[in-house]
Amino acid sequence: MQKHALQLNYKILITYIAAFLALVIIQVGIIAFVDMDSWTDASLATFGASMNLLLYGSLTIIFLFMANIYLFKNQWVYFKERMGYSVLMIAFGMYLIFAVLILVGAIFEITGGPNTPQNQELLDNILASGWHNALMVFMFAVFFAPIVEELVFRKAIFGLIDAKFGGAVAIIGNSLIFASIHITGEFTAWISGAITIVDLGLVILPYMAMSLIISFIYFYSGKLIWVAILVHFIINFISVSGTLLSL
C-alpha cells in the first residue's frame, strides 16, 4: 500500500511538471509564429484564460483517471464514514483562513503594502475582460484548480516530504513551494532588484498562510484529500465570485 501511494505521488508530480512544460512550449510556439503585437488587451486576456483552462482542465481529467481508486474508492469512502469530523475540519480550516487573512490585511495596512500580486492582478484583468473569459477563469480557478493543486501539493509533494522528514516539515515544505509558484513574477522582480526582500515577503504571506492552514487540516484530518479540496474550492469560489460582483 505504501509503495503504491509513493508511486502515485511521483506520477502526479511528474505529470504536473510535464504538463506545465508542455504548456510553456505551446505558448512559446504560438508567440513565435503569431504576431501578437496587434492583439488587443481583450484578445490577450482570452489567450491567457484559454491556456489556463487547457492546463487545468487537461490535468483534472488525467488526475481523475490516474487517481480514480485513491479519490473515489479510498478517500471519498473515508470522507463519508467520517462526515461529521470532516465537515468540522473544513469549517475549522475556513475559520482559520479568514482569521489569518484579517491579520494579514492589518499587517498590510500598517506596512502600506504590498501591491496586488501579479498572479492575482492577471486573473482580475481576465475576469474584467468579458463574460466568456470570466467563465473560463471561474471553471479553472473554482472547479479544476482545487482538484489539481491539492493532488499535487497535498497528496504528492506533502506525501513525498512526509515520507522522508515527517509531517511538520511536510506542512512547511509543501506550503513554501505552493506559495512560491503563485508569485513567480515577484521573484523575478526581486532578482532584478525591482522590489525588496520585504516586499517579496509581504506578497508571499497570504499564499503561505493559506497553504499552511490547508496542509495543517489535511494532516490532522487523517490526510483526507477531499477536506483539502473542498476548503480550496470554497476559498476560490468566494475570491472569484467577490471579484466578479465588484466589477
Side-chain angles (χ1 to χ4, degrees), residues 9-83:
N9 289 342
Y10 278 117
K11 286 180 180 178
I12 290 171
L13 184 56
I14 291 170
T15 302
Y16 178 77
I17 294 172
F20 183 81
L21 292 176
L23 185 69
V24 171
I25 293 171
I26 292 172
Q27 289 177 318
V28 170
I30 292 174
I31 293 171
F33 292 101
V34 177
D35 180 16
M36 300 180 69
D37 293 336
S38 60
W39 285 23
T40 63
D41 290 342
S43 297
L44 290 171
T46 300
F47 176 72
S50 300
M51 290 296 100
N52 276 296
L53 185 62
L54 175 63
L55 175 64
Y56 280 94
S58 300
L59 281 173
T60 298
I61 294 171
I62 292 170
F63 286 166
L64 288 177
F65 176 77
M66 180 185 294
N68 175 59
I69 294 176
Y70 166 76
L71 282 171
F72 300 108
K73 296 183 179 180
N74 181 332
Q75 288 287 299
W76 185 246
V77 172
Y78 294 152
F79 181 86
K80 290 192 296 182
E81 288 177 350
R82 307 175 64 189
M83 181 64 74

Side-chain angles (χ1 to χ4, degrees), residues 113-115 183 186 190 194-205:
N115 295 324
I183 60 164
E186 283 76 14
W190 173 61
I195 64 173
T196 67
I197 187 67
V198 174
D199 294 327
L200 183 65
L202 288 172
V203 172
I204 203 173
L205 187 57

